[in-house]
Amino acid sequence: MPTDIPERPAALPGGPAALPGGPVSATPPPRTGEHTPPSPSASRSVAEPASSTPRTPRGRGRAAGVIASTAVCQAALMVGLGLLLTGPAATVWPLTAEDEIADSLESARTGTLDTVSLVVSEAGNTTTVVVGTLLSCLVLLLVPRLPRWRDALFLAVAVSLQSLVFLVITEAVDRNRPDVERLDASPPTSSYTSGHTGAATALYAGLAVLVLQRTKGPWRKAVAALLLLLPVLVGIARMYRGMHHPTDVVGGLLNGGLSLLIVGRALLAGPHVPGVAPDAGAADEEPPARGVPTGRTTVVFNPTVTDEAARAALRRILQDHGHHGADFVPTTADDPGEGQTAHAVREGASLVVVCGGDGTIRAAAEALAGTGVPLAVVPCGTGNLLARNLGLPVKPAEALSVALRGAPRRIDLGRIEGDGLAPAHFTVMSGAGLDAVMLESTSDRAKALMGWPAYAVAGLKELRAPRMRLTVGIDGARPLRRTARMVLIANTGKVQGGATLVPAARPDDGLLDLMILDPRGPAGWLAAVASLARRGPEGGTGRAGGSRSVEYFTFRRADIRFDAPQHRELDGDPVSPGRLLTAQVRPGALTVLMPVRGE
C-alpha cells in the first residue's frame, strides 16, 4: 500500500525540527555558524495567503493513462465480439434462435406492455442518462457534508467511456435490427450493441456501486439491487420494442460493466487517500522498525459500531500478530474513550487499538498525547478521516492488519480552546460556522434514515444566515478582518471520496492550516467549487484564482475572535457555541501505527 505524498517545507524555527525525536518530516537544525537559506515557509508572511499556483496531483495522470490504455482493449474486445456475431457465429445456435425470440415478443405485445416498455426504455435514453449523470454528480458534490469528488468523477468518466466505446463499436460493426415491427424510430446506428442498455448499466450500476461502498443501513442492499435490475429491464424493453437482438443487449450490459470496472479500478480501488511518507532525506536511512512490542494490548471500542463478530475478527488478527490476551474495553455515553485509554496507559499497555469513528479516536488521542504509546486506528465510523489520511484501509479488519504490519510514526495534534471550551486536542479538523451547524442540527434518526444527505438538509437552511464576522491573528502578526460562511482549522486535509479540502495540511509537518470559506452568491459558490477542484493532493496553500471565496493560511498558533457567538465543532462533534477559538499545534504529540512504504 503506497504512502507517498509530497512533504511540505520544514516548519519554522522552533517547530518540530527543534524537538528531539520530532516528526520525520522536520529538518535538522543548522550547525553553529552554518548559513541556512530560508525555507519557503519562513520566507513568506504567514499572515498573508501564499502562492495559489496549483500543482498537478501525483497519480491523476497515471489513472488517466490506465483508463485510456485499458479502454482501447475494451473497444477491441467489443468490436471483436461484434464481428464474431455478424460473421462466423451468425449461423450457430443460440444466435439462430434470436429471430424466433423477436417474433415471440412481437406477438406478446399489448397496449399496457407497450406503455410500460416505453417508460422503462426511456430510462436508458441519451437525454435521461446525461441528465441523470449530471444530477448525480451535483448531488455527490453538494449534498454530503464534504464533497465526494472521486465518486462524482468515477460516475462521470464511466458513463462517458461507455458512450465513447459504443460509438467506436457502431462504426466498426454493422448489424441489422430484428426483422419485426419496431415501436421506436430506428436511429442510424448498428443494432449491436444496445446503447440504451450500455448507458443504463454505466449510470445505474455505477450508482449501485457507490451506494454499496459509501452508505450504511439496512436499505442499501435493496436500493443497490433495484439499481442493478434497471439496466436489465431496459434491455428487455428494447428487445420487446423490436430494437435489438438478445446478444445486442448482452453486449450493452458488457460494455457498461467493463467501463465501470476499468474506471472503478483506476479511481476507487485501494485506500481513498495516500498516507504520510518519510521525507525525501530519509531515503538513505534505515527503514523504520516494523510493528510494536507484543506486550499488553488494550482495545478500546465503540459498542454501537463494533459488534461481537467484528470484535472476534479483530481478536484473531491481533493473535496472528503476536498480541495475545488483548483487553477489550467498551466506550460509554459518559466516556467516549479518554478514560479507558488513560487507564490502559496507567496499567502499562504497550499498544492501544481504538475502534470507532473520528470522535472516539480523538478521545483516545487526548489520553495518548505525549505518552509515546502507539495507537492503532481501526475505522468503524462514518467519516474515518484520520484513517484515510494515514493511508489505512477503511475496512476495520484490513486496517488493523495493515497497521500491525506497519511502523510507529509521530504525528501532530491540534490543541484548541475558547470561551466555554476547555482545552482539547483534535486529530483531523475543528472549526466554526456552516460545518458545525450541519453537525449540530442533524438528529441521529435523520442520519440513520438518510445518511450524509441529512447534513445537507440541515445545512441548506443556514445558507441564507448572516455571514460570520471575525478577526484572525496568526503567529503574532497583525490581525486580519474577514467575513465567512465557515472557518476550518486542519491538521489533515483529505476527506471522503479522496477529495482534498485543505490542500497543504499534513499531519506531521509541525503546522496547522486555516481555511476561510466565504462564497457570495451562485458565482461565489461556483468559484469556491472550482478552487477546490483545481487543488489535488499536492496543491499548495494560498487563495485560489485571486478570489476571496476560499483562503488558506499556515500557522503554529491562531487566535480567532467572532463578533457574535458561533456554532463550533471538534473532529466532527459539536461543542458549545462561543466567540473565541485559539488553536496551536503540538508537533509529534501522538504516536500512531502507519503503513510502511510499499505496503
Side-chain angles (χ1 to χ4, degrees):
M1 179 179 301
T3 59
D4 295 4
I5 65 173
E7 298 289 350
R8 262 199 308 193
L12 300 178
L19 298 176
V24 178
S25 63
T27 56
R31 295 187 296 271
T32 303
E34 178 179 297
H35 172 70
T36 302
S39 68
S41 295
S43 63
R44 73 171 188 262
S45 169
V46 294
E48 293 298 331
S51 170
S52 61
T53 304
R55 304 179 191 175
T56 302
R58 179 180 300 172
R60 185 174 297 177
R62 180 177 180 276
V66 169
I67 293 174
S69 59
T70 315
V72 172
C73 299
Q74 174 188 352
L77 173 64
M78 296 303 303
V79 169
L81 291 175
L83 295 176
L84 181 65
L85 293 176
T86 57
T91 57
V92 179
W93 189 90
L95 297 184
T96 53
E98 289 192 313
D99 289 339
E100 297 177 8
I101 295 175
D103 292 338
S104 298
L105 290 173
E106 182 183 28
S107 62
R109 291 174 181 169
T110 65
T112 301
L113 290 178
D114 289 353
T115 302
V116 172
S117 67
L118 175 62
V119 173
V120 174
S121 177
E122 286 300 304
N125 184 280
T126 300
T127 301
T128 305
V129 170
V130 170
V131 172
T133 303
L134 290 175
L135 289 177
S136 299
C137 290
L138 287 175
V139 168
L140 289 168
L141 297 178
L142 300 179
V143 171
R145 182 169 67 94
L146 296 172
R148 301 189 175 190
W149 295 99
R150 185 177 299 193
D151 294 353
L153 187 63
F154 158 72
L155 197 63
V157 174
V159 172
S160 301
L161 176 60
Q162 184 281 145
S163 300
L164 181 62
V165 174
F166 168 75
L167 293 176
V168 173
I169 295 170
T170 55
E171 288 295 323
V173 180
D174 185 16
R175 190 182 196 190
N176 294 327
R177 298 187 182 274
D179 188 17
V180 296
E181 179 186 359
R182 293 188 282 277
L183 300 182
D184 297 325
S186 299
T189 56
S190 170
S191 178
Y192 175 88
T193 62
S194 171
H196 281 61
T197 307
T201 302
L203 174 57
Y204 303 118
L207 289 173
V209 170
L210 297 180
V211 167
L212 291 173
Q213 288 193 355
R214 303 292 191 256
T215 62
K216 295 183 178 181
W219 51 268
R220 57 194 284 270
K221 292 184 178 180
V223 172
L226 290 174
L227 289 169
L228 291 172
L229 180 61
L230 195 50
V232 177
L233 295 178
V234 170
I236 294 174
R238 299 300 288 168
M239 289 190 296
Y240 173 87
R241 300 183 68 79
M243 304 305 295
H244 293 287
H245 305 280
T247 47
D248 301 332
V249 170
V250 173
L253 293 170
L254 180 60
N255 187 33
L258 287 175
S259 298
L260 289 174
L261 179 62
I262 291 170
V263 178
R265 289 290 296 175
L267 298 181
L268 300 183
H272 290 281
V273 182
V276 178
D279 71 351
D284 297 329
E285 299 176 2
E286 290 295 324
R290 284 175 173 257
V292 294
T294 55
R296 181 167 185 165
T297 300
T298 299
V299 180
V300 178
F301 67 92
N302 184 339
T304 63
V305 293
T306 313
D307 57 21
E308 181 59 39
R311 297 197 294 272
L314 298 177
R315 193 183 302 274
R316 287 193 299 270
I317 294 173
L318 286 167
Q319 291 173 347
D320 290 343
H321 288 81
H323 299 268
H324 301 281
D327 297 325
F328 279 70
V329 183
T331 63
T332 65
D334 296 329
D335 190 341
E338 182 179 355
Q340 297 88 336
T341 305
H343 178 76
V345 173
R346 289 195 300 269
E347 293 297 313
S350 61
L351 171 66
V352 175
V353 179
V354 180
C355 312
D358 287 314
T360 306
I361 303 296
R362 189 202 67 78
E366 193 79 53
L368 290 173
T371 66
V373 177
L375 164 68
V377 177
V378 179
C380 297
T382 304
N384 304 318
L385 296 186
L386 181 61
R388 297 174 189 272
N389 279 271
L390 298 182
L392 292 169
V394 292
K395 294 183 178 179
E398 292 181 12
L400 179 58
S401 181
V402 169
L404 293 176
R405 294 197 305 269
R409 289 279 306 280
R410 295 178 63 184
I411 66 171
D412 309 331
L413 287 176
R415 183 180 183 275
I416 197 161
E417 59 183 307
D419 52 328
L421 177 61
H425 291 94
F426 63 93
T427 63
V428 181
M429 297 177 183
S430 180
L434 182 60
D435 190 46
V437 170
M438 290 190 292
L439 290 167
E440 189 170 345
S441 302
T442 306
S443 66
D444 291 337
R445 182 177 181 183
K447 287 186 285 187
L449 292 174
M450 302 173 60
W452 283 109
Y455 291 113
V457 174
L460 288 174
K461 298 183 297 183
E462 304 298 325
L463 292 181
R464 292 184 177 274
R467 285 180 170 77
M468 301 182 291
R469 296 184 179 275
L470 59 141
T471 303
V472 183
I474 298 176
D475 288 336
R478 187 176 65 181
L480 305 172
R481 286 291 293 174
R482 291 291 187 269
T483 59
R485 293 288 189 186
M486 181 173 71
V487 171
L488 205 59
I489 303 165
N491 186 40
T492 63
K494 301 177 180 66
V495 293
Q496 293 97 330
T500 303
L501 193 62
V502 185
R506 299 290 186 272
D508 70 344
D509 60 0
L511 298 167
L512 294 177
D513 289 80
L514 175 66
M515 170 185 171
I516 299 178
L517 180 69
D518 189 28
R520 296 175 180 270
W525 282 104
L526 288 175
V529 170
S531 167
L532 296 172
R534 285 196 298 268
R535 296 181 175 277
E538 294 181 33
T541 59
R543 189 167 61 214
S547 159
R548 291 293 293 270
S549 295
V550 187
E551 286 185 285
Y552 297 98
F553 303 89
T554 300
F555 66 92
R556 289 200 301 271
R557 176 188 172 99
D559 297 283
I560 305 172
R561 178 183 294 272
F562 302 98
D563 289 5
Q566 301 297 331
H567 296 272
R568 300 178 294 188
E569 60 94 3
L570 191 63
D571 269 351
D573 290 331
V575 294
S576 61
R579 297 180 58 191
L580 301 175
L581 281 178
T582 297
Q584 57 187 10
V585 66
R586 285 196 61 188
L590 182 65
T591 301
V592 295
L593 293 184
M594 291 177 54
V596 298
R597 192 185 300 271
E599 277 289 310

